[in-house]
Amino acid sequence: MAGALSEVLGEVLVAADGEEVAVSALAARGVSLVGLYFGCSLGGPCAQLGASLAAFYGRFRGEAAAASGQRLEIVFVSAEQEQQQWQEAVRAMPWLALPFADKHRKLKLWNKYRVSNIPSLIFIDASTGKVVCRNGLLVIRDDPEGLEFPWGPKPFSEVVAGPLLRYNGQTLDSNALEGSYVGVYFSAHWCPPCRSLTRVLVESYRKIKEAGQKFEILFVSADRSEDSFKQYFSEMPWVAVPYADEARRSRLNRLYGIQGIPTLIVLDSKGDVITRQGRVEVLNDIECHEFPWHPKPVLELTDTNAVQLNEGPCLVLFVDSEDDGESDAAKQLIQPIAEKIIAKYKAKEEEAPLLFFVAGEDDMTDSLRDYTNLPEAAPLLTILDMSARAKYVMDVEEITPEIVEAFVSDFLADKLKPEPI
């Protein structure tokens, strides 16, 4: 256990009294699950979570929990910028914390687990370090007694099981989805980007169905009332989880670790995830020629997929021409390296630590260069880490596969010195 956890957390954690606790000691304590708690002490949702999380944590302490293999440890990954605030926060918590000085590891954890808002709670297996559940906050709400410990992922068919609603008021069983591609659509009427996406998605749905594809969309509502749900669902030609079935809606949110809406998860006919970026794919492929949108190793940076720059470190190769041939050549140059990285992490059942883009010349690219204060040179090889407000720049006359591969390897090995954005 120690090796897998140490790779994630480092060698030492800090207790509320300031004492250091070796990560390797967690095994002796019988810890089988670790919750990574991303948060802060500055009131709001994090403060509101404190009492319920402490009560939940207490249920998995002591000899009985260890004997049953159900001992949980929580590690606080702070968003605090000031050490005094961090110390005050840690002293008030009954669990462990990542050391304040280990800022580099903190940023790596935020990127590794694609944390986009706080508070966030992610459960990982203590023996393997692999993600068990991405939305632990819903676990606390839905299973406060821990009856479903350790809350590992279940097949989509099992989580969705039950009656579904059609837009015309009729019902059908969820097994009607079997053998079809499924878009699991998390959305709400109160959310303007959701309503905008829904209008586009209705047309995409029609085109895919007319092309003879077996495709269904499942609406999982985040509306604040059943009336809002009914109004919104009346605009949709697909199926939905009944609004009254809050438990099933919540389990689907937990299954896919939903942190924001709109989100469209596209599944294959077996219920396995093809892409979590269905929103971007729909907006980029209006005619749906590339359905079911299997992920590409290298993307051309556009207005619609630029949002992915905020999800973690991104390699961006800037080229100096609007000519598609220049972009295609750049993609071919970095694609083998991207495929190698993606395959390596897929084998470990982890998300790749980098996204790969090629950027041409347009207003959006110019704005990105200005925002990140990049030189005007092209070709220009960069890694941009927006969450850490850091950039890594390789400004050479010729970009070769060897240069790209060395640049990526040095970044992953923490050998590059970041420049501030």
Side-chain angles (χ1 to χ4, degrees):
M1 178 180 82
L5 271 188
S6 295
E7 187 175 335
V8 175
L9 299 173
E11 300 299 328
V12 174
L13 300 171
V14 179
D17 59 5
E19 290 294 316
E20 292 187 346
V21 176
V23 171
S24 58
L26 299 184
R29 297 183 179 189
V31 173
S32 59
L33 195 71
V34 174
L36 302 178
Y37 170 32
F38 297 85
C40 69
S41 63
L42 300 179
C46 292
Q48 294 170 14
L49 174 66
S52 58
L53 182 56
F56 183 82
Y57 176 71
R59 294 187 179 94
F60 299 93
R61 309 299 296 159
E63 294 180 4
S68 65
Q70 294 189 344
R71 182 148 183 179
L72 167 71
E73 186 54 75
I74 291 177
V75 177
F76 179 48
V77 185
S78 172
E80 312 290 357
Q81 298 299 315
E82 301 294 333
Q83 186 164 7
Q84 183 175 350
Q85 291 178 340
W86 174 84
Q87 288 174 329
E88 292 173 356
V90 170
R91 279 198 293 265
M93 296 176 175
W95 42 75
L96 304 176
L98 198 71
F100 180 80
D102 203 351
K103 295 181 179 181
H104 180 67
R105 186 173 298 278
K106 178 184 76 171
L107 289 172
K108 287 185 68 174
L109 290 175
W110 283 69
N111 286 331
K112 179 181 177 71
Y113 298 108
R114 303 284 196 263
V115 177
S116 58
N117 51 54
I118 56 173
S120 184
L121 181 63
I122 297 172
F123 291 122
I124 62 174
D125 187 292
S127 61
T128 65
K130 293 180 179 178
V131 173
V132 172
C133 176
R134 290 186 175 276
N135 204 329
L137 300 184
L138 288 179
V139 168
I140 295 172
R141 188 191 73 181
D142 298 345
D143 186 27
E145 299 301 320
L147 301 179
E148 298 178 29
F149 184 95
W151 313 290
K154 298 177 180 178
F156 169 72
S157 58
E158 181 179 337
V159 177
V160 78
L164 303 176
L165 291 179
R166 285 195 178 279
Y167 64 94
N168 58 10
Q170 297 178 344
T171 61
L172 76 164
D173 192 82
S174 59
N175 60 20
L177 300 176
E178 293 178 4
S180 296
Y181 294 108
V182 178
V184 189
Y185 184 36
F186 299 86
S187 184
H189 187 263
W190 53 262
C191 162
C194 295
R195 296 198 302 272
S196 297
L197 179 61
T198 296
R199 288 191 288 271
V200 177
L201 192 54
V202 167
E203 290 303 308
S204 299
Y205 178 78
R206 178 183 60 78
K207 291 172 183 175
I208 293 167
K209 299 283 273 189
E210 288 178 353
Q213 296 276 12
K214 294 187 70 175
F215 179 53
E216 193 52 78
I217 293 178
L218 175 66
F219 173 42
V220 183
S221 173
D223 286 296
R224 293 165 177 163
S225 71
E226 185 150 12
D227 287 342
S228 293
F229 163 76
K230 289 178 178 178
Q231 178 185 351
Y232 194 29
F233 187 44
S234 69
E235 305 169 10
M236 302 175 181
W238 43 73
V239 300
V241 176
Y243 185 80
D245 197 343
E246 185 176 356
R248 191 162 31 143
R249 290 191 288 122
S250 184
R251 286 196 297 271
L252 285 163
N253 273 271
R254 279 166 47 190
L255 179 62
Y256 298 114
I258 303 303
Q259 295 192 33
I261 56 173
T263 295
L264 178 65
I265 310 286
V266 182
L267 310 179
D268 66 17
S269 59
K270 297 179 181 179
D272 296 326
V273 173
I274 294 175
T275 179
R276 299 177 59 87
Q277 298 294 338
R279 174 190 183 184
V280 171
E281 298 292 355
V282 165
L283 295 175
N284 268 346
D285 182 26
I286 295 299
E287 296 303 318
C288 305
H289 292 315
E290 299 181 4
F291 177 83
W293 303 302
H294 288 281
K296 298 175 182 177
V298 183
L299 299 173
E300 187 166 348
L301 192 62
T302 65
D303 288 329
T304 50
N305 66 23
V307 65
Q308 293 178 256
L309 293 173
N310 295 313
E311 295 185 3
C314 298
L315 182 144
V316 183
L317 174 54
F318 292 87
V319 295
D320 62 355
S321 174
E322 296 177 352
D323 181 9
D324 287 341
E326 187 80 15
S327 293
D328 289 343
K331 288 180 192 175
Q332 292 171 13
L333 187 150
I334 62 177
Q335 180 156 327
I337 297 150
E339 289 175 340
K340 182 178 177 180
I341 295 294
I342 292 167
K344 175 182 176 180
Y345 283 85
K346 185 176 181 180
K348 298 194 293 184
E349 298 181 10
E350 295 182 6
E351 292 188 39
L354 274 174
L355 299 177
F356 295 83
F357 292 91
V358 168
E361 289 184 333
D362 54 33
D363 291 342
M364 190 277 297
T365 301
D366 289 343
S367 296
L368 177 61
R369 281 184 183 264
D370 290 342
Y371 177 74
T372 55
N373 195 27
L374 288 171
E376 292 297 324
L380 183 68
L381 183 62
T382 69
I383 291 175
L384 305 178
D385 188 346
M386 296 300 195
S387 62
R389 298 191 61 79
K391 64 186 178 186
Y392 307 82
V393 181
M394 176 68 71
D395 186 1
V396 294
E397 289 188 7
E398 182 181 4
I399 305 293
T400 65
E402 292 76 19
I403 286 175
V404 176
E405 187 155 20
F407 187 55
V408 170
S409 296
D410 286 348
F411 171 78
L412 296 177
D414 295 327
K415 293 180 180 179
L416 300 181
K417 184 177 180 180
E419 300 176 42
I421 290 179

